[in-house]
Amino acid sequence: MSSREKEQTIALSAVFQAAELVSILAKTGQVDNASLQPMLDSILMVNAASTEDVYGGQWDCQSNLALGRKISRQALGKERSSVNPDTLRYALSMIHLEHKLSKTPDMLPVIGQKIAQIEQKKAHYDSVLHENMLASISGMYQDTLSKLSFRIQVHGDSRFLQQPQVANQVRAILMSGIRAAMLWRQLGGKRWHLIFKRKALLNALESRN
């Protein structure tokens, strides 16, 4: 097992955590902030010293991505049938959408500028979970990723999805999932690895217990 595979599992866990959070939020209208905050914080971590630092550093990374690591192990292992089908679809869709983004170089500087603007706003609020911060991240998603030819369709309870605050949360989480998918690709991760490198990725996930 290589250190690269260990890093890849961090990014992959984050992709699956974002996917699971979207699935839960779309159906229930609420989500656990302890799992949500590190995902949203990661969007603003553009110059992290390590992969672990994107998600809270060496000591907090494992706990911050505990949900995603659990789903990753299930999805890659023998418990795949226990994973919500929507979660799997969202995860694969985020990887696919990020691939589309990587082929649209003009959009990347725009996202970078918007992240810098959101980072400046953060100084005025106590947390990235503040509704104004969520609205800003959601707006970034709408102004950029929503313009690409592929769009992620979120299914759930319309009573919740029609609420502006929930819709903003969904888009903000999707943005964090794209951030994770970009990290996955930058670390050499490819979609086919989820099929043909499952054992190696599972071993890397288990080594982080």
Side-chain angles (χ1 to χ4, degrees):
M1 174 194 3
S2 68
S3 60
R4 177 55 60 93
E5 282 164 354
K6 286 186 177 182
E7 289 186 283
Q8 286 175 353
T9 60
I10 295 174
L12 190 62
S13 294
V15 171
F16 275 107
Q17 184 150 314
E20 178 74 354
L21 289 174
V22 168
S23 180
I24 293 170
L25 184 59
K27 292 179 175 66
T28 68
Q30 52 190 333
V31 73
D32 176 33
N33 283 345
S35 297
L36 174 61
Q37 179 157 354
M39 296 302 300
L40 300 183
D41 282 336
S42 74
I43 297 170
L44 305 180
M45 290 291 292
V46 293
N47 292 309
S50 70
T51 304
E52 288 177 324
D53 283 348
V54 177
Y55 298 102
Q58 181 180 359
W59 306 115
D60 293 328
C61 182
Q62 284 199 48
S63 58
N64 285 343
L65 296 179
L67 174 63
R69 289 174 60 245
K70 173 188 170 186
I71 302 297
S72 296
R73 285 199 301 269
Q74 291 174 335
L76 294 170
K78 297 178 180 178
E79 299 178 66
R80 184 180 178 120
S81 60
S82 66
V83 180
N84 188 315
D86 281 340
T87 297
L88 288 173
R89 181 171 61 82
Y90 296 146
L92 292 174
S93 294
M94 285 186 283
I95 290 172
H96 182 66
L97 183 58
E98 192 283 325
H99 180 71
K100 291 276 190 184
L101 173 61
S102 71
K103 303 295 185 183
T104 315
D106 291 349
M107 190 173 285
L108 293 171
V110 176
I111 291 176
Q113 290 169 4
K114 290 183 178 296
I115 288 174
Q117 292 168 0
I118 294 170
E119 177 67 45
Q120 290 180 334
K121 281 186 180 181
K122 189 181 178 184
H124 301 290
Y125 302 107
D126 56 351
S127 168
V128 73
L129 297 174
H130 191 283
E131 61 182 42
N132 289 350
M133 291 292 291
L134 287 165
S136 294
I137 297 171
S138 172
M140 172 170 59
Y141 185 91
Q142 285 180 297
D143 292 342
T144 56
L145 295 166
S146 287
K147 308 293 186 185
L148 296 176
S149 58
F150 177 79
R151 301 185 72 173
I152 299 175
Q153 300 295 322
V154 175
H155 302 299
D157 191 323
S158 60
R159 292 175 301 169
F160 302 125
L161 291 174
Q162 289 173 3
Q163 296 175 17
Q165 188 169 359
V166 172
N168 282 341
Q169 279 187 299
V170 166
R171 285 188 287 265
I173 296 169
L174 288 175
M175 193 80 218
S176 75
I178 298 300
R179 165 70 170 111
M182 180 179 289
L183 189 58
W184 158 256
R185 178 178 55 79
Q186 290 170 339
L187 291 166
K190 300 183 185 300
R191 188 166 171 162
W192 61 265
H193 288 172
L194 302 179
I195 300 172
F196 297 109
K197 288 187 67 177
R198 282 188 301 173
K199 187 173 182 180
L201 290 169
L202 269 173
N203 287 340
L205 280 163
E206 295 298 340
S207 74
R208 291 188 164 270
N209 281 345

